[in-house]
Amino acid sequence: MTPVTFWFEFSSPYSYIAAERLRAAHLHAPQVNWRPFLLGPILKAKGHDPAAFDEGSPKRAYMWRDVERLAEKFAIPFERPRIFPQNGLMAARIATAFPNERWLVDFVCAVFHAAFAHGHDIAEVETLHDILDGMGLPTEGLIEEAEQPGTKKALRDATAEAQSLGIFGAPSFTVGHELFWGQDRLDDALDWARHIHLP
Amino acid sequence: MTPVTFWFEFSSPYSYIAAERLRAAHLHAPQVNWRPFLLGPILKAKGHDPAAFDEGSPKRAYMWRDVERLAEKFAIPFERPRIFPQNGLMAARIATAFPNERWLVDFVCAVFHAAFAHGHDIAEVETLHDILDGMGLPTEGLIEEAEQPGTKKALRDATAEAQSLGIFGAPSFTVGHELFWGQDRLDDALDWARHIHLP
């Protein structure tokens, strides 16, 4: 069984849907690596303003209705956020600093819930404090570690790696050399991992 | 059962996938109206150059790989076209001129096959001649009708209607006031039509 890498961005509602679906499926899924990255620098490199892109457009309006329907379909709590896109930098650094902790997936999903189910601002350090405290973790030490230069570099490197893999949107899944874009492709990515073994 | 409108664009490979899936499903599907429209004017109104958009980008490279995988998954013949995007204006006019003919769906799928399975240029009138001739239809008269001012206006009106419905990509599906974008949403659109009845 080939490992799957799940590339997610905390500001992306479709990443939230994918994270919830993946967590719900985890008992039967192939090995999945949860990798945070930043979509902003990739969009900026293409000349797009990540915040303004699609703002006020039919595509943006469609996205929210689409996410609402998907959330209902998969029984995932969802509330359209007041702030969009949110700045997920600090959350991404925390997730980057602790890739092998057993609490990683719970933390990631809690951040997504804060942003897309509870209307909290995940750019605020208090929001992240509350999440880590609520999980019974040593919040101060974790946030300090997340702010170390090595962690910042690791997140920049992850973003560069995502870009080098041809990733241009979130969420994305990589299975060997195959790239799948969008929560729509989650099942296809898992099927690819289950049936195709790289040499 | 609410009717489904299938909005397609002949230059769109995902419209091809959706058309083939819809045709294969037709015995069990709700009533489906096949509506050609032109995506180009909608993209231009947003300031995008439809031909250059994504050209040479990771997103474009991904699209072809994604379409290849989908074609294999749904057992649909596919060959990456030499020319992209193709100009589907004449084909769209023919489909627009004869919305109620029993041969419409066969014609639409034959045009998509020419573009995405046989490597033909659907902008060439000979390609469309061959398709109509092969279907045993009175080709000359049909093409003459497709070039009438009333047909040209009907296609412009269809494109304006698509835009007014919030459509920004192809294929799209409308079910009452619900919009679904992408061949990924075909099943969701059909489910919506089966379970939801507008007042």
Side-chain angles (χ1 to χ4, degrees):
Chain A
M1 200 172 278
T2 311
V4 175
T5 301
F6 168 47
W7 297 88
F8 61 93
E9 152 64 80
F10 279 114
S11 71
S12 149
Y14 290 110
S15 291
Y16 168 46
I17 301 288
E20 287 293 313
R21 293 181 59 195
L22 257 180
R23 185 162 71 156
H26 80 284
L27 286 177
H28 309 289
Q31 185 193 334
V32 177
N33 301 314
W34 292 51
R35 296 283 308 268
F37 77 110
L38 299 179
L39 188 55
I42 294 176
L43 295 179
K44 278 181 192 153
K46 285 166 55 184
H48 298 310
D49 175 355
F53 199 50
D54 291 337
E55 177 77 35
S57 71
K59 191 171 184 177
R60 176 69 66 88
Y62 172 80
M63 181 187 78
W64 290 123
R65 179 63 185 134
D66 188 47
V67 171
E68 272 175 4
R69 284 190 309 233
L70 291 168
E72 190 173 336
K73 175 176 173 176
F74 295 115
I76 296 168
F78 172 72
E79 185 180 303
R80 203 177 293 202
R82 289 167 298 112
I83 310 162
F84 184 82
Q86 290 198 8
N87 185 336
L89 176 63
M90 178 57 114
R93 283 180 180 160
I94 295 172
T96 298
F98 304 99
N100 301 315
E101 296 294 334
R102 296 174 61 92
W103 50 262
L104 176 69
V105 170
D106 286 340
F107 170 74
V108 170
C109 289
V111 173
F112 276 128
H113 269 99
F116 295 113
H118 303 309
H120 297 158
D121 185 353
I122 60 168
E124 289 181 11
V125 73
E126 291 75 17
T127 304
L128 302 173
H129 262 267
D130 289 348
I131 288 169
L132 294 168
D133 285 350
M135 293 171 66
L137 294 168
T139 302
E140 294 297 342
L142 297 182
I143 288 184
E144 195 172 311
E145 182 67 26
E147 289 287 29
Q148 293 299 309
T151 304
K152 295 178 181 179
K153 181 177 184 305
L155 179 55
R156 283 196 300 274
D157 289 349
T159 298
E161 184 182 342
Q163 191 166 15
S164 77
L165 292 169
I167 288 174
F168 54 87
S172 291
F173 308 91
T174 48
V175 187
H177 296 292
E178 289 293 320
L179 171 63
F180 298 84
W181 171 47
Q183 70 82 28
D184 317 87
R185 294 291 180 280
L186 171 58
D187 290 331
D188 286 346
L190 294 180
D191 282 348
W192 198 273
R194 289 184 183 108
H195 300 304
I196 306 286
H197 296 264
L198 299 178
Chain B
M1 200 172 279
T2 311
V4 176
T5 302
F6 167 48
W7 296 88
F8 61 93
E9 152 66 77
F10 279 115
S11 72
S12 149
Y14 290 111
S15 291
Y16 167 46
I17 300 289
E20 287 291 314
R21 292 181 60 196
L22 259 180
R23 185 162 70 157
H26 80 284
L27 286 177
H28 309 290
Q31 185 193 332
V32 178
N33 301 314
W34 291 51
R35 297 283 309 268
F37 77 111
L38 299 179
L39 187 56
I42 294 176
L43 294 179
K44 276 181 193 152
K46 285 166 53 183
H48 297 311
D49 175 354
F53 199 49
D54 289 338
E55 177 76 34
S57 71
K59 191 171 185 177
R60 176 69 66 86
Y62 173 79
M63 180 187 78
W64 291 123
R65 180 63 186 135
D66 188 46
V67 170
E68 272 175 3
R69 284 190 309 233
L70 291 169
E72 191 173 334
K73 175 176 174 176
F74 295 115
I76 295 168
F78 172 73
E79 185 180 302
R80 205 177 292 202
R82 288 167 298 115
I83 310 161
F84 183 83
Q86 290 199 8
N87 184 335
L89 177 62
M90 177 57 112
R93 284 179 179 160
I94 296 172
T96 298
F98 304 99
N100 301 316
E101 297 292 335
R102 294 175 61 92
W103 50 262
L104 175 68
V105 171
D106 285 341
F107 170 74
V108 170
C109 289
V111 173
F112 275 128
H113 268 99
F116 295 112
H118 303 311
H120 296 158
D121 185 353
I122 61 169
E124 290 181 11
V125 73
E126 291 76 18
T127 302
L128 303 173
H129 262 266
D130 289 348
I131 288 170
L132 294 167
D133 286 349
M135 293 171 67
L137 295 167
T139 301
E140 294 298 341
L142 298 181
I143 288 185
E144 196 172 308
E145 181 68 24
E147 288 288 28
Q148 293 298 310
T151 304
K152 294 178 180 179
K153 181 176 184 306
L155 180 54
R156 283 196 301 273
D157 289 348
T159 298
E161 184 182 343
Q163 192 167 14
S164 76
L165 292 168
I167 288 174
F168 55 86
S172 290
F173 309 90
T174 49
V175 186
H177 295 291
E178 288 293 319
L179 170 64
F180 298 85
W181 170 47
Q183 69 83 29
D184 317 87
R185 293 292 180 279
L186 171 57
D187 291 331
D188 286 345
L190 295 180
D191 282 349
W192 198 273
R194 288 186 183 107
H195 299 302
I196 307 287
H197 297 264
L198 299 180

